[in-house]
Amino acid sequence: MTQTRALIEEATKKSGLVWVRGTGAAARALWHVWHEGALHLVGDGPGEQPLTGLGLADGSTATVTVRSKDKGGRLVEWTARVSELAPDSEAWAAAVADLKGKRLNAPDADRIEERWARECRVLRLEPSGDTAELPDGSLAATPVVTAATTREPVPAGLPKLLARGRKAARKAGKR
């Protein structure tokens, strides 16, 4: 294994989040697992991370930017070959076994494999070459337009309520 490949693998394994940019699309943060020499993603189903609009089609290429788990800064950027795994294949079953262990708060953890086979896409992004040189400047982009809003100001009574809860917890600890 070359040093470049080792860097890609170690950095990607340790990072819980990567930025993926497909053909003609903006990068998006996605959770993943590293399995058998490639990054694996699941998404596009109800309640799963959106992959649509990233240009991640079978046979296409993508750019993966890996961040540092502790500092959050960019560590390495690499090019990947994208392949979509078929739900009835051994590769799909092996990847999903690792993915379901990383899927937090799944509403149907006991039937998640069935749902992913029926409604989601599982993608394999395999490193295809050397790493890219990271840019010096910021890669900040305009946020995606969304219906989400910022929260309202804190209610006036909340600080008193929180203080009362801390006081009660301290009393309970002294008993």
Side-chain angles (χ1 to χ4, degrees):
M1 182 183 307
T2 66
Q3 283 185 334
T4 301
R5 180 67 181 222
L7 171 64
I8 290 170
E9 183 171 339
E10 280 305 307
T12 308
K13 275 183 186 178
K14 290 182 179 181
S15 179
L17 186 72
V18 294
W19 291 87
V20 179
R21 183 176 67 245
T23 310
R28 188 175 301 154
L30 302 170
W31 70 271
H32 68 285
V33 298
W34 183 270
H35 175 75
E36 294 182 0
L39 178 144
H40 289 77
L41 304 167
V42 64
D44 277 351
E48 300 299 338
Q49 61 190 350
L51 302 176
T52 304
L54 280 174
L56 299 177
D58 197 26
S60 67
T61 60
T63 303
V64 179
T65 304
V66 183
R67 69 184 184 103
S68 165
K69 188 172 185 169
D70 58 344
K71 302 284 186 197
R74 294 169 290 192
L75 284 179
V76 65
E77 185 172 283
W78 50 277
T79 305
R81 283 185 305 274
V82 179
S83 57
E84 187 166 346
L85 303 179
D88 56 351
S89 68
E90 287 181 31
W92 185 91
V96 165
D98 280 356
L99 282 162
K100 74 177 185 177
K102 287 271 197 151
R103 175 61 167 92
L104 301 176
N105 304 321
D108 58 348
D110 53 335
R111 296 181 319 276
I112 198 165
E113 291 179 16
E114 298 164 13
R115 181 171 58 86
W116 284 352
R118 191 176 58 250
E119 302 171 353
C120 296
R121 297 170 58 205
V122 175
L123 302 177
R124 175 183 170 91
L125 280 66
E126 185 174 354
S128 63
D130 288 338
T131 59
E133 189 167 324
L134 294 176
D136 290 333
S138 171
L139 293 178
T142 305
V144 178
V145 177
T146 177
T149 61
T150 57
R151 63 186 185 140
E152 299 294 321
V154 175
L158 185 61
K160 283 184 181 178
L161 183 64
L162 292 175
R164 194 173 20 187
R166 283 192 292 268
K167 197 181 285 185
R170 274 185 279 185
K171 266 188 179 176
K174 289 183 181 179
R175 291 181 189 179

